[in-house]
Amino acid sequence: MTGSILLVDDNAETLKNLSLRLSETLNDEATIIEWQPTEADGDMSVALNDRIGVETVLVVTDYDLTTTVKGLFGLTIVSWCQKVFVPVGDFSRGNLTALPKEPNLFEMRIPTDDTAASYIANVYRGFRDIRALIEHNRPLLAEGASLAGVLAEVLERPHLESQFAAYMSRLGAANSFLLQKLREFAGPAEPADDEKIQILSYVLGHVLLNAILKYPGPILSLNGIAAYIATVPAEEEAIEEVFGVARYHGPFSALGPLYWRDDVDNVLDELGQHTGNQTFESFGDFNRYVVSERIGRNLQTHQCQRCGGSKGGYWCPFTSRPVCEREDCSVAASSWIPQGAQLSRVEREFYDEWAPILGM
């Protein structure tokens, strides 16, 4: 069955242009449905419900829809989609500061530049693919596998279940509708497999996209692997040369080069067999050294006044810089970062500035 994407915007020209660009990107992979809400639609929740079905994989909405319907905002669309467990992304075309840059766990922030169609297409493919993987592994539903267990199995990394589980410790706080539904699942009425698959696809797709791929741990983004070997993303060509065998090819992989951390470690261990009796202050120093030796030159340094850009190992998702385990460089803030994100830390200066204000 071909999935569909619902595009919602109050500007007819913008809606048509995005739809055309998305159709060109996806070809026949998805049905694109356009909706320009108007007062003639009546009850907006009913009108939205009429345009969403079992084939709907993704909804994309503008933040401000008030030019055609008084008082209608994308936040209403987002809330309704979260209630019925349909992935949704929003953007702010007119006022770029109307929405925070960081969405919550069960939401995507759609870019407003020329990359919008590509991003939407890749998010669509990611949610479509993870649903297909779960469909292919239906026996897991009967076995009563945990959320993390299902994700680990469909990604063919069963040994990572505990690490994936650590990313899921706060799901209820991120979506109260989800918590209510999971309680229903635990009740006497056994849900149908199709309903389970919808919920699993929704939850695991968001956890993978907005947590596991965002905060380096078992899977490393380009930023994450660059920080891991104490260098910069500009070394992408060298990174691919050395770690190409570790590439992640699962759902959402088209959003950027991604690497399995355990496969990266296998490469580093093999390279490290030739270091002799040398000692290193940290694993970041070791990683940088062995990769530099492998490519026959020193890796580029990153911008850090504390170490001259030669140390690393961790990625700070708040300052978007590599950090190391030195006390003056970073802190392991478990309340800020998912527990499974073992290679994510908060830069010390940022933490010291904001922790008192946030009460953390």
Side-chain angles (χ1 to χ4, degrees):
M1 180 179 64
T2 300
S4 67
I5 302 174
L6 174 63
L7 304 179
V8 186
D9 202 312
D10 57 351
N11 184 294
E13 182 179 358
T14 300
L15 185 62
K16 179 59 67 176
N17 287 340
L18 179 57
S19 178
L20 287 173
R21 286 187 286 125
L22 192 54
S23 296
E24 292 171 356
T25 303
L26 285 169
N27 295 318
D28 297 325
E29 291 183 56
T31 300
I32 312 300
I33 302 172
E34 303 169 19
W35 180 33
Q36 182 185 13
T38 67
E39 298 289 354
D41 289 321
D43 188 316
M44 288 297 111
S45 63
V46 174
L48 178 61
N49 183 53
D50 289 342
R51 290 166 174 80
I52 291 181
V54 294
E55 75 285 351
T56 306
V57 176
L58 180 65
V59 173
V60 174
T61 180
D62 184 19
Y63 168 73
D64 189 347
L65 303 168
T66 57
T67 61
T68 54
V69 179
K70 184 177 180 180
L72 180 62
F73 287 91
L75 294 179
T76 301
I77 307 294
V78 170
S79 178
W80 194 90
C81 289
Q82 291 175 341
K83 183 177 181 179
V84 295
F85 310 113
V86 173
V88 59
D90 51 2
F91 62 91
S92 181
R93 176 172 25 85
N95 183 359
L96 297 181
T97 61
L99 287 170
K101 292 181 180 179
E102 294 297 325
N104 65 39
L105 179 61
F106 292 100
E107 183 183 3
M108 281 79 68
R109 194 70 74 235
I110 307 298
T112 56
D113 57 19
D114 292 339
T115 66
S118 175
Y119 179 83
I120 294 170
N122 288 329
V123 169
Y124 164 82
R125 289 168 177 148
F127 278 101
R128 177 201 63 190
D129 292 349
I130 201 163
R131 183 179 184 111
L133 287 170
I134 295 171
E135 288 268 12
H136 185 69
N137 288 270
R138 276 179 176 259
L140 292 172
L141 305 181
E143 295 169 6
S146 67
L147 288 171
V150 172
L151 183 60
E153 287 292 338
V154 300
L155 295 183
E156 299 181 349
R157 301 276 168 151
H159 61 286
L160 295 179
E161 178 179 352
S162 61
Q163 291 189 47
F164 290 153
Y167 282 90
M168 304 182 193
S169 59
R170 303 168 190 163
L171 290 180
N175 186 334
S176 57
F177 297 115
L178 172 63
L179 186 60
Q180 178 180 326
K181 178 59 68 173
L182 293 178
R183 284 174 177 164
E184 292 176 6
F185 279 8
E190 181 70 17
D193 280 357
D194 287 345
E195 186 177 11
K196 285 184 178 179
I197 289 171
Q198 178 189 2
I199 299 297
L200 286 171
S201 304
Y202 177 83
V203 173
L204 298 181
H206 282 96
V207 169
L208 183 58
L209 175 63
N210 287 337
I212 295 173
L213 300 185
K214 178 179 177 181
Y215 296 95
I219 301 175
L220 304 178
S221 63
L222 180 59
N223 285 328
I225 193 171
Y228 196 44
I229 60 174
T231 189
V232 292
E235 289 281 18
E236 180 177 357
E237 185 175 340
I239 289 171
E240 181 61 23
E241 175 188 343
V242 178
F243 300 107
V245 296
R247 280 292 287 266
Y248 164 83
H249 296 289
F252 306 109
S253 58
L255 289 171
L258 298 159
Y259 302 85
W260 286 108
R261 188 251 179 109
D262 50 4
D263 290 347
V264 168
D265 284 341
N266 289 338
V267 174
L268 292 169
D269 289 343
E270 184 176 347
L271 295 176
Q273 293 177 5
H274 309 291
T275 58
N277 296 323
Q278 294 186 69
T279 59
F280 300 90
E281 185 177 350
S282 70
F283 72 87
D285 294 336
F286 169 82
N287 294 348
R288 177 180 174 84
Y289 175 83
V290 297
V291 175
S292 295
E293 287 291 300
R294 164 65 175 77
I295 64 175
R297 62 173 175 82
N298 288 328
L299 288 165
Q300 296 181 50
T301 55
H302 54 88
Q303 295 182 346
C304 177
Q305 297 179 350
R306 294 177 293 269
C307 68
S310 63
K311 290 186 175 294
Y314 300 94
W315 174 252
C316 175
F318 301 98
T319 61
S320 298
R321 289 198 292 257
V323 293
C324 70
E325 56 202 12
R326 279 173 26 176
E327 187 176 349
D328 66 333
C329 186
S330 71
V331 58
S334 60
S335 60
W336 294 29
I337 294 172
Q339 295 178 17
Q342 298 172 347
L343 295 181
S344 303
R345 290 172 69 102
V346 182
E347 192 161 2
R348 168 61 72 178
E349 291 180 5
F350 182 88
Y351 179 81
D352 288 345
E353 178 181 2
W354 289 101
I357 298 174
L358 299 175
M360 293 178 160

